[in-house]
Amino acid sequence: MNIKSKIAVEFIASFVQKAFILGFFFIGTVYSQNNPSDLDSLEHIYMTGAFEQNDELYLLSEIVNKQEDLTEILKYSDLLIEKATKADSPQYLFTANLQKGNVYLNKSELSKALGYYQIAAKLASEAEENDRLALTNITIGGVYSDIGNYSISIDYYEEGISQLRDLIKITTLKTDLDKFEKYLAGALLNAGDVYIKTGDLEKALGYFYESSGLCKKTDYRLGSAYNLGNIGMVYAKQNKPKMAEANLQEAIKILEQEKDYYPISVYLNYISGIYVDLGQLELAKDYARRSLEIAKTYDLKNQRSEANLRLAKIYEKTNELSESLFHFKNYISTKDSINNIATIQKLANQRTAFEVSQKQSELDFEIQKRKNDKILTYGFLGGMILVSGLAFGLYRRTKFISKTNKLIDEEKKRSDNLLLNILPRDTADELKKSGKVEAKKYESVTVLFTDFEGFTKYAENSPPEKLVESVDLYFSEFDKIMEKYKLEKIKTIGDAYMCAAGLPEQTENHAELMAQAALDIIDFVKKSKQVHAVSDLRFNVRVGMHTGSVVAGVVGKNKFSYDIWGDTVNVASRIESSCEPGKISVSEDTYKLIKDYYRFEDRGEISIKNRSPLKMYYLYKK
């Protein structure tokens, strides 16, 4: 679960001190209380004009950062944006847009908050202020998680986490290192929560363990409590009741000392569920009642609903039907009020994508306006030169146009290359031409998944930089193999690698090409393990292949991602999961297409999750 208490972190920049929102994780102490007399003094100075003109932006930013009234923050932020735009000052534009985003987040106007955070992220990126960019990306990830758009949320969390890891590597100051490690702990905790919601429990568990280590290192008790509780919830979902209860109980002890009651109610309800599964119904009742009492005391509507539902089911199992009916009625009445709020929120969220897009358009317009102002200034200067010497002016103008055109061509080429790094060429061309990409169905495509044996165990005990270095070694070589056979890399998810053959350009021999790529992958992994035999970060790999129809298209508004969907993708993933390490498992559909070109071992019919048994084969070189 995300941390819902006290949404703040301490963030010190070189030129201004500010409060900063980081998803839903509270790091360190709350931003220091401002002295009201200081704020009044600053406002008086500004209103009377008793300051140097060069100090106006700094003075406004101080007022914005010390102000606590949300309406006043918006007023002074708008004024700061106006002045900073005229002065072409990205650093103060960042401050103003960030604070406006914070205000709208506190007011639960998520679409407006996202718009201003996107502007702040763009400004931080252009200024190459990587610490600000990392935290803004993580903040945006938290907002998208709150909206329920987990795919985009994960994209932003992963980008922010990667940027924080880079900062930690190059940081030499102890104070900065501690600060960035706390930020990373919070980002990992909240990203892990999103991975729970998407069903990727192994990824979530790895992030919680890493976050827990950072919390212990930085002596952050509340963060440690949330990690313990979240790890316990994952263990419960993995049917490990004893480990789940131990972690949840330890989390509750810390949270009681910290007086943070919302998660205590959640965790008590989870423990109740564990005892229901174990058949110890009296203990289950006790924990559910404790959860309900806390929820009533602190007016936690959602947890009141969940605890009442849990008790209704327990009393039904013990044939105490009147008690069961009583709690079920309470569950219904509480749930109705929650659903009314949820319905309103859902309607508001349906507008979020459109409104964020509008904010992005406004930002692009403002940036273009500033560029146009500069061009007009250059034009005026050119006109003055033209008056003093027409020939010289024409020469300078011609030279300027030539240089500008060259820069434009270089930027266009750079943008095209960046786009081709994430989208197939045909898809990128369609996106540039029409502004959108139509989803396409392909009747026959071969999909391949790889996964490393024992990766989660290594992830728990290995330094992050060594782990990333090892995974990068493999995936870089896999990318080369994809280029060799002109196959399409779709994405990587943790230690899993996914690719496809037969799209976007359809080919008759896609299964054969993918089989050869799979054999090359196995060969590389074997050689790598022999060369680096002394390292414990060299893995065996499982490979699974399946052939069938898929739908392919582009998802995302601000961050494009080419992806494929369909039963074929799910089956390929299940085949990989059932494979022995160091081998390639293929479905019968793939086998029929390439049986004359390779050697196979019949595995018989293998049971896989959520499907009837499938006939499979192990693929070998002929």
Side-chain angles (χ1 to χ4, degrees):
M1 59 171 291
N2 273 345
I3 293 182
K4 298 293 184 183
S5 64
K6 314 180 192 75
I7 310 171
V9 301
E10 186 178 285
F11 181 53
I12 309 299
S14 60
F15 60 90
V16 67
Q17 194 174 31
K18 63 176 77 60
F20 197 102
I21 302 295
L22 173 56
F24 296 98
F25 185 72
F26 174 67
I27 297 178
T29 57
V30 180
Y31 184 68
S32 59
Q33 295 295 317
N34 296 307
N35 188 330
S37 62
D38 290 346
L39 178 61
D40 292 341
S41 176
L42 290 171
E43 288 181 324
H44 177 74
I45 291 171
Y46 187 78
M47 297 303 294
T48 58
F51 57 88
E52 296 291 333
Q53 193 63 34
N54 290 340
D55 295 333
E56 182 176 17
L57 294 179
Y58 174 79
L59 182 59
L60 277 172
S61 69
E62 283 292 288
I63 294 172
V64 167
N65 292 313
K66 292 179 182 295
Q67 183 60 253
E68 295 180 350
D69 182 270
L70 298 183
T71 302
E72 290 296 300
I73 294 174
L74 288 177
K75 182 181 81 173
Y76 281 106
S77 292
D78 286 335
L79 190 56
L80 181 56
I81 287 173
E82 178 188 341
K83 301 293 184 181
T85 300
K86 290 180 181 178
D88 194 19
S89 174
Q91 65 183 41
Y92 289 111
L93 282 171
F94 174 89
T95 299
N97 282 287
L98 177 72
Q99 292 291 25
K100 290 191 75 172
N102 293 348
V103 169
Y104 286 117
L105 183 61
N106 278 303
K107 295 170 72 174
S108 295
E109 296 182 45
L110 300 186
S111 61
K112 286 186 179 180
L114 270 177
Y116 288 108
Y117 287 143
Q118 294 282 11
I119 295 172
K122 190 174 184 69
L123 290 165
S125 177
E126 290 175 348
E128 297 184 352
E129 294 182 340
N130 294 330
D131 47 0
R132 290 179 163 189
L133 179 59
L135 294 177
T136 308
N137 280 330
I138 291 165
T139 302
I140 293 171
V143 178
Y144 272 114
S145 173
D146 219 29
I147 292 170
N149 193 329
Y150 301 130
S151 175
I152 295 180
S153 173
I154 285 173
D155 286 344
Y156 277 103
Y157 271 131
E158 291 294 356
E159 186 169 350
I161 287 169
S162 175
Q163 290 159 345
L164 284 173
R165 292 193 197 281
D166 290 340
L167 287 168
I168 288 170
K169 286 180 182 178
I170 62 175
T171 297
T172 56
L173 291 175
K174 179 70 166 59
T175 53
D176 285 345
L177 180 63
D178 290 343
K179 178 177 64 177
F180 292 142
E181 286 180 337
K182 282 187 177 182
Y183 296 159
L184 180 58
L188 290 166
L189 176 58
N190 288 325
D193 177 69
V194 179
Y195 279 115
I196 288 181
K197 292 170 182 174
T198 61
D200 193 343
L201 300 183
E202 289 298 320
K203 185 77 170 181
L205 201 56
Y207 272 17
F208 292 147
Y209 274 122
E210 185 179 353
S211 176
S212 182
L214 290 168
C215 287
K216 288 179 182 176
K217 183 179 179 182
T218 55
D219 193 28
Y220 184 58
R221 284 171 51 77
L222 193 58
S224 295
Y226 277 100
N227 277 302
L228 284 166
N230 285 8
I231 290 168
M233 291 195 295
V234 173
Y235 282 149
K237 290 177 181 290
Q238 292 178 332
N239 197 26
K240 300 174 181 177
K242 290 184 178 179
M243 296 171 67
E245 186 190 358
N247 278 274
L248 290 166
Q249 292 282 20
E250 191 174 350
I252 290 170
K253 286 181 183 178
I254 299 173
L255 291 165
E256 286 175 338
Q257 294 168 2
E258 299 291 328
K259 297 182 179 180
D260 198 355
Y261 297 104
Y262 176 87
I264 293 176
S265 181
V266 174
Y267 296 153
L268 286 170
N269 213 27
Y270 251 80
I271 296 175
S272 175
I274 292 170
Y275 282 116
V276 168
D277 293 338
L278 293 173
Q280 300 180 38
L281 299 182
E282 291 304 316
L283 272 174
K285 283 181 192 176
D286 290 342
Y287 280 104
R289 287 195 199 102
R290 285 175 61 190
S291 176
L292 181 58
E293 285 304 313
I294 290 174
K296 285 180 177 178
T297 302
Y298 298 99
D299 194 25
L300 308 173
K301 287 187 172 60
N302 193 59
Q303 285 315 113
R304 283 181 64 183
S305 173
E306 293 299 319
N308 273 305
L309 179 60
R310 177 80 69 194
L311 284 166
K313 290 181 177 179
I314 295 171
Y315 280 118
E316 183 181 13
K317 287 179 179 289
T318 59
N319 290 319
E320 298 173 82
L321 300 183
S322 61
E323 287 290 331
S324 176
L325 181 60
F326 170 77
H327 286 289
F328 189 73
K329 285 180 177 179
N330 287 339
Y331 160 73
I332 292 296
S333 62
T334 309
K335 197 68 176 176
D336 284 344
S337 66
I338 294 171
N339 285 341
N340 288 336
I341 296 170
T343 300
I344 294 169
Q345 184 65 50
K346 183 177 181 181
L347 291 172
N349 289 345
Q350 288 175 351
R351 294 185 53 83
T352 296
F354 172 76
E355 292 178 357
V356 172
S357 176
Q358 290 293 97
K359 289 292 182 184
Q360 186 65 42
S361 298
E362 291 173 12
L363 172 62
D364 293 340
F365 176 80
E366 183 61 35
I367 292 172
Q368 189 60 48
K369 180 175 177 294
R370 282 158 46 195
K371 289 181 179 178
N372 290 342
D373 289 342
K374 289 183 180 180
I375 292 172
L376 287 174
T377 301
Y378 294 147
F380 174 76
L381 293 175
M384 294 295 292
I385 294 171
L386 183 63
V387 171
S388 61
L390 181 60
F392 182 72
L394 287 172
Y395 166 76
R396 289 295 299 273
R397 182 174 179 274
T398 302
K399 187 175 180 181
F400 174 76
I401 291 172
S402 175
K403 184 178 180 180
T404 302
N405 288 338
K406 184 178 179 181
L407 288 172
I408 291 171
D409 289 340
E410 288 175 355
E411 285 301 311
K412 183 177 182 298
K413 184 177 179 181
R414 180 171 171 270
S415 297
D416 289 344
N417 288 337
L418 287 172
L419 195 58
L420 289 174
N421 279 337
I422 58 175
L423 299 178
R425 181 174 294 277
D426 290 348
T427 305
D429 290 341
E430 183 180 350
L431 182 64
K432 288 189 290 183
K433 183 177 180 180
S434 62
K436 61 180 181 179
V437 177
E438 296 292 338
K440 297 178 182 177
K441 183 173 183 180
Y442 296 85
E443 294 300 334
S444 184
V445 169
T446 300
V447 179
L448 178 145
F449 276 87
T450 74
D451 194 50
F452 294 118
E453 178 193 19
F455 182 86
T456 301
K457 180 180 177 182
Y458 286 118
E460 293 172 2
N461 302 307
S462 302
E465 58 271 17
K466 287 189 177 181
L467 197 66
V468 172
E469 176 190 351
S470 182
V471 173
D472 182 63
L473 169 72
Y474 289 106
F475 284 176
S476 296
E477 186 63 29
F478 292 2
D479 287 345
K480 292 177 184 178
I481 293 171
M482 295 304 107
E483 291 178 8
K484 177 180 177 181
Y485 295 104
K486 293 182 171 54
L487 307 178
E488 192 63 32
K489 173 185 176 181
I490 303 301
K491 59 185 173 184
T492 60
I493 310 167
D495 63 320
Y497 188 97
M498 175 184 174
C499 58
L503 58 77
E505 294 181 1
Q506 300 183 39
T507 53
E508 292 294 329
N509 63 336
H510 55 82
E512 183 180 352
L513 291 171
M514 187 62 86
Q516 191 57 52
L519 290 167
D520 285 5
I521 286 172
I522 291 294
D523 284 345
F524 169 75
V525 171
K526 287 180 179 178
K527 290 177 183 176
S528 177
K529 190 153 187 171
Q530 292 169 359
V531 173
H532 304 281
V534 295
S535 173
D536 61 354
L537 291 179
R538 299 292 176 250
F539 309 99
N540 283 324
V541 68
R542 295 186 297 268
V543 181
M545 291 169 49
H546 178 54
T547 301
S549 63
V550 301
V551 173
V554 173
V555 294
K557 292 286 186 183
N558 299 315
K559 294 187 176 183
F560 300 112
S561 175
Y562 184 76
D563 209 345
I564 59 176
W565 304 271
D567 190 58
T568 299
V569 178
N570 297 330
V571 172
S573 177
R574 300 285 186 270
I575 290 173
E576 175 270 317
S577 300
S578 73
C579 184
E580 292 181 22
K583 292 189 176 183
I584 305 166
S585 184
V586 303
S587 68
E588 187 174 26
D589 291 336
T590 305
Y591 165 79
K592 289 177 180 178
L593 295 175
I594 58 175
K595 62 183 180 180
D596 295 332
Y597 306 104
Y598 301 95
R599 182 167 57 88
F600 293 88
E601 175 188 343
D602 191 340
R603 298 183 64 193
E605 290 191 341
I606 307 295
S607 295
I608 63 174
K609 185 177 179 182
N610 297 330
R611 290 185 64 92
S612 57
L614 290 178
K615 192 169 180 60
M616 299 184 201
Y617 301 82
Y618 279 133
L619 166 69
Y620 303 99
K621 293 179 182 178
K622 198 158 188 174

